[in-house]
Amino acid sequence: MAAAALRGPAQVPTPAEVLLEPTQGCVTFEDVALYFSWEEWDLLDEAQRCLYHDVMLENFVLTSSLSLGGDIIEMAA
């Protein structure tokens, strides 16, 4: 308890500070993808599967838009 009292307030960067920071590395689809085993997939109901599909598609589009070097990202069929 005493140690917590000695700490100052949390340092949270403002949006302007975040934008001014240099790039911290590449982000790929594989970095943000989430995979389920067949057993896990079978436990999801239809709404959860649709949500998974929507989120993964959005992640794919967003990470593809980050590719500024002209790299082509292929989606597995």
Side-chain angles (χ1 to χ4, degrees):
M1 180 91 172
L6 295 176
R7 292 186 203 146
Q11 298 297 318
V12 178
T14 64
E17 291 172 329
V18 171
L19 291 176
L20 294 176
E21 290 182 13
T23 17
Q24 297 182 9
C26 297
V27 176
T28 66
F29 179 72
E30 293 297 321
D31 293 331
V32 295
L34 175 67
Y35 298 100
F36 290 105
S37 68
W38 283 111
E39 294 81 19
E40 293 168 326
W41 186 255
D42 287 337
L43 295 174
L44 300 178
D45 62 32
E46 186 65 25
Q48 291 170 320
R49 291 178 185 176
C50 288
L51 177 61
Y52 171 84
H53 177 266
D54 292 345
V55 170
M56 294 301 282
L57 185 58
E58 183 177 358
N59 286 343
F60 179 76
V61 169
L62 291 172
T63 54
S64 296
S65 72
L66 296 174
S67 177
L68 301 177
D71 296 336
I72 298 174
I73 300 174
E74 294 183 21
M75 194 166 155

